[in-house]
Amino acid sequence: MLARGSHADEFRLVRQHASELRDWFDRNTGWSLRVDAEAARLARTPGTLADPTHPAREASRGRAPFTRRRYVLLCLALAALERGEAQIALGRLAEQVVLDAADPHLAAAGVEFTMERRDERLDLAAVVRLLLRHGVLRRVAGEEEAYVSGSGDVLYDVQRRVLAGLLAARRGPSTIITEDFEDRLAELTAESALDSDELRFRAIRQRLTRRLLDDPVLYYEELTDEELVYLTRQRAFLTARIMELTGLVPEVRAEGIVMVDPHDDLTDVRMPEQGTHGHVTLLLAEHLAAMDGEVSRADLERKVQELAAEHGAFWSKSAKQPGAEAELVGQALERLTALGLVAATPKGIVPLPALARYAVGETVVTEPGPASSRTPRAPRTPRTPKRKAPQS
């Protein structure tokens, strides 16, 4: 969060209450909060490392998730900025990236950048826009489109304090020698040695609090036996602590817990949402909530074709084109997966228990009569669980 820009008012509040916030995050989540005159940085680590639904995304309207190449470019760009001066041109940054990409280890991994192709320059522009959004760079002159087309360059100020605080890790990546990706990720976020019951219980409390804050749904079956026992005993305490500071409201069910965001302030993936894709997602959620067991993707695409015949008058023209059902299903499943409502399997899609909140009962029509004798219509969709911003 930057001292200037769209969140300047929020930054002043964070700085004013930095001591209380720092103590709360340290005690309940194990996240460190650093605040200075330029920026506030909450070094968040996820409660689980198995969630792939928090990608970095383009700043453009399409908000496409970063590819593997863009993540590599992001790391190379940050390394170049760390060694560079207080100002840098995009063309100069591209030269440094090309030099660093010539490292034999990257070449052996199939990583190669020349910045001669338009798609490579587009990738670098996407990385730069992400760094602009995070406040690492501040544009002085020029536009990224000019660099992509080869007709110009861009000059940036490098915000070194923001750059220095960007990495959220418990140890330096260069100190990790294992090569397996999952092992490297685990070591990057590993806690210190827990050699007492008090430290183990504190670590469990922090993991559970992170998941309740970050994840749209916390399913009991995803927890270890030790975590489940602790949550069973301390559920009221944990949810009350979160509700007190965030306003999130606990919804406790037989299968797990949802911390609902009643004011829609902390949500980055919404459902229901306006527009064609939002309508399709809601209709598929209703359909899947009535299913018992696994559903193939082909069946869902056929269902969208049926829905198009019924609701197409309300959809965009492109959504009614032949073959559009594949994209519509893909985007709907991406949203439902991110909200913890469905899970993908090798054979298809499995509805998860929280999806039942989108089930719609049969409409009951009653004759006028005393209010006490009327049968109400089943409710539509309640407010969705919250989901947090992507991990950095």
Side-chain angles (χ1 to χ4, degrees):
M1 184 179 291
L2 304 179
R4 62 176 68 188
S6 59
H7 295 291
D9 292 339
E10 289 90 340
F11 171 81
R12 284 192 287 271
L13 283 174
V14 169
R15 195 174 186 191
Q16 178 182 349
H17 300 284
S19 178
E20 294 87 347
L21 289 169
R22 190 179 292 113
D23 290 344
W24 191 92
F25 282 117
D26 180 66
R27 182 172 59 253
N28 293 286
T29 65
W31 296 339
S32 63
L33 175 64
R34 289 179 290 179
V35 183
D36 57 35
E38 295 182 15
R41 171 62 165 142
L42 181 62
R44 296 165 55 237
T45 52
T48 174
L49 302 179
D51 182 5
T53 64
H54 291 276
R57 293 184 179 275
E58 287 185 4
S60 62
R61 184 176 180 181
R63 303 193 71 243
F66 266 34
T67 61
R68 177 174 179 263
R69 287 176 54 82
R70 288 187 176 181
Y71 280 119
V72 174
L73 263 180
L74 173 61
C75 294
L76 292 174
L78 289 172
L81 292 171
E82 182 69 27
R83 299 190 306 267
E85 303 296 331
Q87 279 193 335
I88 192 169
L90 183 49
R92 177 61 177 166
L93 178 60
E95 292 173 2
Q96 292 296 317
V97 166
V98 171
L99 289 174
D100 290 344
D103 184 283
H105 291 88
L106 290 177
V111 176
E112 180 184 8
F113 294 106
T114 64
M115 295 301 160
E116 295 176 357
R117 302 197 312 269
R118 178 180 172 83
D119 64 312
E120 290 183 324
R121 296 195 297 273
L122 280 170
D123 285 342
L124 183 59
V127 166
V128 165
R129 291 189 183 108
L130 178 69
L131 296 178
L132 286 167
R133 191 165 74 240
H134 284 313
V136 175
L137 298 176
R138 187 177 300 159
R139 191 186 294 110
V140 176
E143 292 292 338
E144 289 76 33
E145 290 78 5
Y147 167 77
V148 172
S149 64
S151 61
D153 209 340
V154 195
L155 182 64
Y156 306 101
D157 284 335
V158 181
Q159 308 303 306
R160 306 205 69 81
R161 286 191 179 182
V162 181
L163 172 63
L166 196 63
L167 183 64
R170 298 184 179 276
R171 57 182 293 187
S174 61
T175 67
I176 300 174
I177 59 175
T178 182
E179 295 185 359
D180 180 76
F181 174 77
E182 301 295 340
D183 292 341
R184 289 181 63 84
L185 189 59
E187 290 193 28
L188 192 67
T189 57
E191 310 277 354
S192 57
L194 307 176
D195 52 4
S196 70
D197 288 342
E198 181 180 355
L199 289 177
R200 283 196 297 273
F201 290 146
R202 177 177 178 174
I204 292 173
R205 181 177 74 249
Q206 290 177 345
R207 287 198 302 271
L208 291 172
T209 304
R210 291 174 200 163
R211 297 198 62 176
L212 288 168
L213 280 171
D214 262 344
D215 300 344
V217 186
L218 175 61
Y219 288 110
Y220 297 142
E221 65 177 16
E222 297 175 351
L223 303 178
T224 66
D225 292 341
E226 193 175 26
E227 289 171 338
L228 183 57
V229 170
Y230 186 91
L231 180 59
T232 302
R233 294 175 178 173
Q234 302 292 330
R235 182 185 67 203
F237 170 78
L238 289 174
T239 55
R241 275 290 181 89
I242 295 173
M243 182 168 58
E244 179 184 20
L245 200 71
T246 66
L248 299 175
V249 179
E251 183 177 299
V252 181
R253 299 292 183 180
E255 302 87 0
I257 302 174
V258 170
M259 298 299 296
V260 179
D261 180 9
H263 302 294
D264 205 24
D265 290 334
L266 305 178
T267 301
D268 67 325
V269 175
R270 290 171 172 80
M271 182 176 163
E273 190 173 52
Q274 294 182 348
T276 299
H277 290 292
H279 191 200
V280 172
T281 302
L282 187 60
L283 292 171
L284 283 182
E286 180 182 328
H287 172 69
L288 285 166
M291 296 291 100
D292 184 16
E294 193 172 63
V295 181
S296 72
R297 185 157 179 152
D299 287 339
L300 293 178
E301 291 179 8
R302 284 191 288 272
K303 180 63 179 178
V304 168
Q305 290 176 330
E306 297 173 6
L307 293 171
E310 182 178 357
H311 302 281
F314 304 100
W315 294 2
S316 64
K317 184 177 180 180
S318 61
K320 294 177 284 187
Q321 298 297 321
E325 61 274 3
E327 179 184 353
L328 293 172
V329 169
Q331 293 198 16
L333 292 180
E334 180 180 346
R335 185 175 299 272
L336 294 174
T337 302
L339 288 170
L341 302 176
V342 303
T345 68
K347 296 182 179 180
I349 305 300
V350 176
L352 297 179
L355 190 64
R357 67 191 348 257
Y358 293 96
V360 178
E362 293 294 329
T363 300
V364 178
V365 180
T366 59
E367 296 297 328
S372 59
S373 66
R374 296 175 187 169
T375 303
R377 177 176 177 171
R380 192 73 179 174
T381 54
R383 188 176 293 275
T384 60
K386 60 90 190 70
R387 214 188 91 105
K388 293 299 179 292
Q391 304 291 345
S392 296

